[in-house]
């Protein structure tokens, strides 16, 4: 409104519509050569450009119109930009193909995994030597366990000879009897090996190895621990768990003496139940475990008391 008043106010009146259009149009930023679209001028210039391009003549420069060289520059710039984009796309495609190739190559590589560990066959002569060596070590450890257990049993019966053992001494005794259990386990595995001869397989029964394992490896030491209660409670619990695990392992691997292992597991569960004073629930659980093992043993041999 202010522009119309300024142009039409007073005695000065502008009659040129082109001038009024240029003044009334929004102000263009400085340095910009663009103008508003004019249907008459722009359509005429476009028609002349098309005709002269077909004839191959150069267009004259018209003030206010776009120069053909500028258009050609824009086209060249667009072409170069498109070429650059195509090159980038090609490079990206090449990278993708190389990644896919490497991935397929990695899938073709066979994993270095042993599906089954290599086993070396053992001859009967080698097995006999192995059993003899295990038995020799077993006898030495067994003799030491017998000596220690008898000494501690005498001390328990004579209060004057009784001395309180430290934790390190209890741990040493547990380690000694644990070693004897492992020696028995190795002996059973070797003597009951599938490659063993019938004579070699009968050695465990001939030398009453299951009974010796229970008597010297477990029961005698449990009695030593029981006579030292309540000071030896934690150590007795630890040893019961060790012995129970070993008997459960033999129950699974050495089935020849399955009946003996069942009875030993029942006796260990009964020991665990007997020393439980703090928790009635644990006492009931271990009582049920002992009952289950004894029931299993009775079912297997119903005529043995």
């Amino acid at each position: 409104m202010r522009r119309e008043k300024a142009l039409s106010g007073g005695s000065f009146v502008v009659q040129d519509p082109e001038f009024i259009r240029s003044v009334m149009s929004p102000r263009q930023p400085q340095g910009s050569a663009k103008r508003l679209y004019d249907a008459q001028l722009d359509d005429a210039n476009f028609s002349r450009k098309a005709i002269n391009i077909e004839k191959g003549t150069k267009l004259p420069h018209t003030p206010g119109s776009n120069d053909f060289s500028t258009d050609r520059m824009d086209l060249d710039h667009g072409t170069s930009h498109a070429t650059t984009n195509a090159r980038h796309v090609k490079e990206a495609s090449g990278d993708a193909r190389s990644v896919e190739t490497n991935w397929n190559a990695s899938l073709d590589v066979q994993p270095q995994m042993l599906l089954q560990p290599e086993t070396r066959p053992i001859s009967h002569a080698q097995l006999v030597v192995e059993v003899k060596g295990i038995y020799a070590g077993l006898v030495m450890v067994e003799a030491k366990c017998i000596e220690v257990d008898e000494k501690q049993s005498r001390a328990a019966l004579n209060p004057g000879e009784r001395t309180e053992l430290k934790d390190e001494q209890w741990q040493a005794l547990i380690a000694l009897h644990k070693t004897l259990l492992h020696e028995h386990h190795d002996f059973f595995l070797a003597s009951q090996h599938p490659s063993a001869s019938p004579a070699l397989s009968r050695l465990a029964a001939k030398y009453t190895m299951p009974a010796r394992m229970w008597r010297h490896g477990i029961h005698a030491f449990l009695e030593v621990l029981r006579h030292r209660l309540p000071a030896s409670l934690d150590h007795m619990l630890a040893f019961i768990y060790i012995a129970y695990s070993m008997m459960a392992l033999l129950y699974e691997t050495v089935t020849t003496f399955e009946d003996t292992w069942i009875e030993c597991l029942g006796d260990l569960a009964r020991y665990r139940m007997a020393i439980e004073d703090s928790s009635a629930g644990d006492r009931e659980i271990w009582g049920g475990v002992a009952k289950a093992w004894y029931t299993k043993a009775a079912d297997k041999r119903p005529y043995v008391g």
Side-chain angles (χ1 to χ4, degrees), residues 146-207:
I146 294 173
E147 178 185 352
V148 171
D149 294 339
E150 288 180 353
K151 181 179 179 180
Q152 295 298 324
S153 298
R154 289 193 303 267
L157 297 177
N158 299 320
E161 299 179 3
R162 183 173 180 175
T163 58
E164 296 297 331
L165 299 178
K166 298 180 180 179
D167 291 340
E168 293 79 5
Q169 293 174 313
W170 282 118
Q171 292 173 4
L173 292 177
I174 291 175
L176 178 64
H177 289 79
K178 183 179 178 180
T179 301
L180 180 58
L181 296 181
H182 282 287
E183 292 291 337
H184 276 280
H185 176 260
D186 294 342
F187 180 84
F188 284 121
L189 289 183
S191 62
Q192 304 302 314
H193 194 273
S195 300
S197 62
L200 191 62
S201 300
R202 289 193 296 266
L203 287 178
K206 179 179 179 180
Y207 292 101

Side-chain angles (χ1 to χ4, degrees), residues 118-155:
E118 296 182 0
T119 57
R120 295 177 298 177
I122 184 172
S123 63
H124 177 69
Q126 292 175 333
L127 197 59
V128 170
V129 174
E130 185 72 16
V131 170
K132 288 182 178 180
I134 294 173
Y135 186 77
L138 186 151
V139 171
M140 293 176 59
V141 179
E142 185 182 56
K144 187 63 178 179
C145 289
I146 294 173
E147 178 185 352
V148 171
D149 294 339
E150 288 180 353
K151 181 179 179 180
Q152 295 298 324
S153 298
R154 289 193 303 267

